[in-house]
């Protein structure tokens, strides 16, 4: 992890309130692993005060760049959504534990909900680049077709790909976890990686436990320091039956789904 | 130049980002006798130029502190100030007693000002008689330098400061966080699971400077000033109000090297104004007032 600066070189709106930002920052491009995030200071001033964490969506080693997919929902993300190319931001990164990628060729299922697609695009890319490439199945859910952000970037990195929308405007009508249910029933899945709203992740975890498929999830939490000092970003986890809190910025953001105390995970977290 | 308790973990969290040896010392995260899980989520909430927190003393407890955290902390070769916290008078005393023969520690910081726990903490820091009794009891069991960390959530901070000194406190640190609250209007509920939390960051600085000023007029022991310091100018305000040392807190979360930047700025100020030692400026505003 290092403190560095990144120059915004491109900003593109990819859905209502959703933006794809490209930054040039060679050390982050080189060091970031799928699932890790950067902790970005959106202003030199005091408003907003705290940095904002964003999962790396992909890297381009030859250009020394990386991309972030952001949803402009609050003060910090709205500043980023309006930033102009050439703007330079302080950032801390790469932060956190990446997804533990398999050594050999496995059948890997990726479950993305909304803006949670970002780290899974990076995962899919690395899974296909391995000496023994994995067979990658991608499932992507969103409210409507418009919100299937960067679906092309995701689908082109997958061997199989399916979408679900709540209104049926693209793919299956329903939830992405309905697709997961069918896919797990078919069997053959060696592991599952997921990122999205807490309610979705809890259901993914439940299904994977039921089918005894190893599953890892990337979770979000309000965060202050990003280095493990403030203990603000913890989530409830279970260890040998007893509950304790672990830091999203250090032990996470990727956790084994079985480790998380889903009953204690509040769906309110989704409004972060 | 210190880093404030709760904002720098046990040092190790910042080791790869900050040249810790340049600091004047580290105030550790609050240490309690037994491990504590801390409060449920949400624990933090951003506010204008500040943040609310209600962590609830999450820490691994005294034994793990001594066996795992302290050896790592010692490697940074800076003074270690252990922030000690308890639910009862007996817990504070036992903690202090068990830390008394630990030579690696430079001082104890008595946490009688945390607003985010059900028992202990702030309860001991809002009534002068309780403060004096607790500090006195801890004083009897330790030869370490004893610093009492004061709360701003009191009617008369000078009275608490005087009580801490009467009890035997060698120095005072102030301020801890201000009790605050935010409402999550979408959820129509308190933003924090603890309902209230401690407000920190630049937003509280004028309150902290004012209290540093008042305490400096009330007692003769050294004061460690803190509360929203992010720049050298901020630190100078505390020093001129009467602080002999300062601590950076929430700014560490924003910029890991914040304390080092403040040090650089203070050196620059001293050069520019021909000040031989930064402590020559302690209380300077008291003599300079109109």
């Amino acid at each position: 992890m290092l403190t560095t600066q990144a120059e915004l070189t491109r900003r593109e709106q990819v859905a209502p309130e959703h933006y794809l930002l490209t930054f040039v920052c060679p050390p982050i491009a080189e060091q970031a692993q799928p699932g890790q995030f950067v902790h970005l200071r959106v202003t030199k001033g005091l408003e907003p005060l705290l940095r904002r964490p964003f999962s790396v969506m992909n890297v381009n080693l030859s250009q020394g760049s990386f991309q972030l997919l952001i949803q402009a929902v609050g003060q910090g993300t709205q500043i980023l959504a309006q930033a102009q190319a050439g703007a330079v931001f302080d950032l801390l990164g790469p932060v956190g534990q990446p997804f533990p990628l398999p050594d050999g060729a496995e059948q890997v299922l990726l479950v993305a909900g909304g803006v949670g697609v970002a780290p899974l695009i990076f995962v899919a890319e690395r899974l296909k680049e391995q000496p023994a490439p994995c067979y990658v199945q991608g499932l992507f859910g969103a409210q409507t077709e418009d919100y299937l952000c960067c679906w092309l970037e995701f689908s082109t990195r997958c061997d199989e790909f399916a979408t679900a929308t709540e209104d049926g405007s693209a793919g299956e009508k329903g939830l992405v976890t309905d697709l997961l249910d069918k896919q797990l029933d078919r069997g053959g899945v060696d592991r599952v990686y997921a990122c999205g709203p807490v309610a979705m992740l809890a259901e993914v975890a439940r299904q994977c436990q039921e089918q005894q498929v190893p599953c890892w999830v990337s979770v979000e939490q309000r965060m202050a320091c990003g280095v493990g000092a403030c203990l603000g970003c913890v989530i409830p986890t279970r260890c040998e039956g007893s509950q304790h809190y672990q830091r999203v910025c250090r032990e996470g953001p990727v956790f084994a789904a079985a480790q998380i105390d889903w009953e204690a995970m509040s769906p309110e977290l989704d409004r972060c | 130049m210190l880093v404030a308790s709760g904002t720098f973990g046990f040092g190790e969290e910042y080791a790869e980002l900050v040249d810790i040896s340049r600091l004047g010392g580290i105030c550790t995260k609050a240490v309690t006798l037994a491990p504590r899980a801390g409060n449920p989520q949400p624990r933090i909430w951003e506010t204008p130029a500040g943040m609310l927190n209600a962590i609830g003393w999450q820490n691994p407890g005294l034994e793990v502190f001594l066996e795992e955290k302290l050896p790592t902390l010692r490697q940074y070769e800076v003074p270690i100030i252990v922030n000690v916290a308890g639910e009862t008078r007996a817990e504070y005393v036992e903690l202090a007693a068990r830390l008394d023969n630990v030579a690696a520690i430079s001082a104890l910081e008595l946490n009688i000002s945390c607003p985010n726990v059900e028992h202990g903490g702030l309860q001991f820091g809002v009534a002068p008689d309780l403060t004096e009794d607790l500090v006195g009891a801890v004083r009897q069991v330790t030869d370490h330098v004893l610093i009492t960390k004061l709360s701003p959530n009191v009617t008369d901070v000078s009275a608490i400061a005087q009580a801490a000194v009467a009890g035997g406190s060698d120095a005072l640190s102030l301020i801890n966080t201000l009790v605050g609250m935010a409402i999550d209007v979408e959820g129509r509920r308190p933003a924090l699971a603890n309902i209230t939390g401690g407000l920190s960051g630049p937003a509280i600085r004028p309150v902290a400077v004012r209290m540093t000023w008042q305490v400096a007029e009330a007692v003769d022991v050294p004061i460690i000033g803190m509360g929203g310091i992010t720049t050298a100018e901020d630190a100078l305000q505390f020093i001129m109000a009467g602080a002999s040392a300062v601590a950076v807190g929430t700014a560490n979360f924003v910029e890991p090297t914040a304390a080092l930047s403040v040090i650089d700025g203070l050196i620059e100020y001293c050069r520019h104004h021909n000040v031989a030692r930064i402590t020559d400026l302690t209380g300077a505003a008291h003599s300079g007032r109109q």
Side-chain angles (χ1 to χ4, degrees):
Chain A
M1 182 167 40
L2 53 109
T3 49
T4 182
Q5 292 192 319
E7 184 187 346
L8 179 68
T9 53
R10 186 177 157 87
R11 185 198 54 171
E12 184 188 352
Q13 184 161 11
V14 290
E17 312 101 44
H18 288 69
Y19 298 82
L20 181 61
L21 308 178
T22 307
F23 293 88
V24 168
C25 183
I28 296 296
E30 283 156 26
Q31 293 175 29
Q33 301 296 318
Q36 290 187 305
F37 64 93
V38 292
H39 207 30
L40 205 136
R41 199 170 167 190
V42 300
T43 170
K44 302 265 187 211
L46 301 176
E47 281 299 312
L49 183 67
L50 301 175
R51 289 168 182 264
R52 298 291 190 265
F54 301 102
S55 289
V56 175
M57 185 177 104
N58 59 34
V59 302
N60 183 320
L61 291 172
S62 61
Q63 291 176 6
S65 65
F66 67 90
Q67 289 187 304
L68 305 178
L69 177 61
I70 67 155
Q71 186 180 7
V73 282
Q75 199 181 10
T77 44
Q78 272 157 13
I79 289 173
L80 283 176
Q82 288 158 20
Q84 300 299 316
V88 174
F89 295 90
D90 282 352
L91 63 83
L92 195 62
V95 191
Q97 303 302 319
F99 282 100
L101 302 187
D103 294 329
E106 291 190 6
Q107 187 170 329
V108 182
L109 185 54
L110 308 178
V111 189
V115 73
V117 72
L120 298 179
I121 290 172
F122 197 4
V123 168
E125 174 139 324
R126 288 286 157 94
L127 289 174
K128 297 309 292 178
E129 281 172 3
Q130 290 192 153
C134 291
Y135 188 79
V136 181
Q137 297 170 299
L139 303 177
F140 191 5
Q143 273 183 307
T144 70
E145 182 178 18
D146 286 347
Y147 289 93
L148 289 168
C149 306
C150 302
W151 70 271
L152 200 59
E153 284 88 339
F154 191 25
S155 63
T156 51
R157 289 166 172 85
C158 295
D159 297 291
E160 273 181 53
F161 181 74
T163 60
T165 51
E166 287 173 41
D167 67 348
S169 51
E172 198 105 336
K173 182 173 179 182
L175 300 175
V176 71
T177 46
D178 301 336
L179 300 178
L180 173 67
D181 202 19
K182 289 176 200 158
Q183 201 69 38
L184 289 176
D185 274 345
R186 258 188 258 164
V189 176
D190 293 310
R191 62 172 73 199
V192 171
Y193 297 137
C195 185
V198 170
M200 180 202 105
L201 295 179
E203 175 60 15
V204 171
R206 190 193 66 76
Q207 290 185 20
C208 288
Q209 191 181 20
E210 203 173 271
Q211 304 274 356
Q212 299 189 323
V213 177
C215 172
W216 286 265
V217 297
S218 175
V219 300
E220 279 192 305
Q221 184 58 281
R222 286 181 188 278
M223 191 173 285
C225 71
V227 302
C230 73
L231 307 178
C233 70
V234 300
I235 59 161
T237 60
R238 281 175 304 205
C239 182
E240 291 161 4
S242 69
Q243 196 206 65
H244 63 132
Y245 291 105
Q246 293 200 60
R247 300 166 294 186
V248 167
C249 69
R250 278 275 165 158
E251 288 81 37
V254 175
F255 291 89
Q259 230 188 325
I260 295 174
D261 183 348
W262 291 102
E263 277 173 29
M265 282 281 280
S266 166
E268 297 153 34
L269 295 181
D270 284 341
R271 284 204 312 278
C272 287
Chain B
M1 167 61 59
L2 307 172
V3 282
S5 174
T7 67
F8 213 74
F10 293 102
E12 60 194 5
E13 295 84 352
Y14 283 97
E16 62 180 317
L17 299 170
V18 181
D19 180 1
I20 294 177
S21 68
R22 289 189 63 204
L23 298 174
I26 295 175
C27 298
T28 69
K29 172 73 182 159
V31 174
T32 54
L33 267 183
R36 284 180 66 109
N39 289 332
Q41 281 287 5
R43 288 180 171 186
I44 58 172
W45 190 267
E46 196 173 33
T47 63
M51 63 180 283
L52 289 163
N53 88 81
I55 308 300
W57 287 349
Q58 178 178 340
N59 82 100
L62 179 64
E63 274 175 33
V64 173
F65 170 72
L66 289 173
E67 284 164 25
E68 296 174 22
K69 304 296 180 187
L70 190 56
T72 309
L73 265 170
R74 290 183 63 177
Q75 292 172 8
Y76 310 129
E77 296 181 338
V78 293
I80 300 162
I81 300 167
V82 183
N83 186 282
V84 294
E87 291 195 354
T88 63
R89 182 182 188 268
E91 275 183 33
Y92 283 97
V93 172
E94 190 181 340
L95 263 169
R98 287 174 63 179
L99 288 164
D100 185 43
N101 59 0
V102 181
I105 295 170
S106 297
L108 300 182
E109 182 178 53
L110 211 52
N111 183 338
I112 56 163
S113 41
C114 175
N116 301 323
V117 289
E118 211 172 326
H119 304 287
L122 183 55
Q123 286 181 335
F124 292 101
V126 291
D129 53 339
L130 288 178
T131 302
E132 184 173 344
D133 173 68
L134 183 73
V135 175
V138 169
R139 176 78 283 170
Q140 286 186 357
V141 299
T142 184
D143 289 327
H144 283 307
V145 170
L146 192 55
I147 302 162
T148 305
K149 188 162 183 179
L150 304 182
S151 169
N153 306 296
V154 294
T155 313
D156 181 3
V157 72
S158 301
I160 306 289
Q162 285 163 340
V165 172
S169 197
D170 300 304
L172 302 171
S173 56
L174 66 149
I175 60 174
N176 204 318
T177 55
L178 281 152
V179 178
M181 183 173 176
I183 306 287
D184 170 0
V185 298
E186 293 299 321
R188 302 185 185 184
R189 75 186 113 220
L192 299 175
N194 191 55
I195 302 176
T196 60
L199 180 64
S200 66
I204 72 168
R205 195 179 59 239
V207 176
V209 171
R210 180 262 295 179
M211 290 193 160
T212 301
W213 172 279
Q214 287 178 315
V215 170
E217 299 222 312
V219 299
D220 285 327
V221 301
I223 296 168
I224 303 165
M226 68 190 82
I229 294 176
T230 59
T231 67
E233 189 192 326
D234 300 343
L236 284 161
Q237 289 198 36
F238 283 84
I239 292 165
M240 292 179 189
S244 301
V246 290
V248 168
T250 298
N252 293 315
F253 298 158
V254 180
E255 196 56 69
T257 53
L260 303 185
S261 303
V262 173
I263 292 172
D264 292 340
L266 291 176
I267 292 169
E268 182 58 34
Y269 182 92
C270 288
R271 274 202 197 118
H272 192 71
H273 294 85
N274 289 320
V275 177
R277 292 178 315 168
I278 190 71
T279 44
D280 292 347
L281 296 173
T282 295
H286 289 264
S287 51
R289 71 177 170 184
Q290 292 154 3

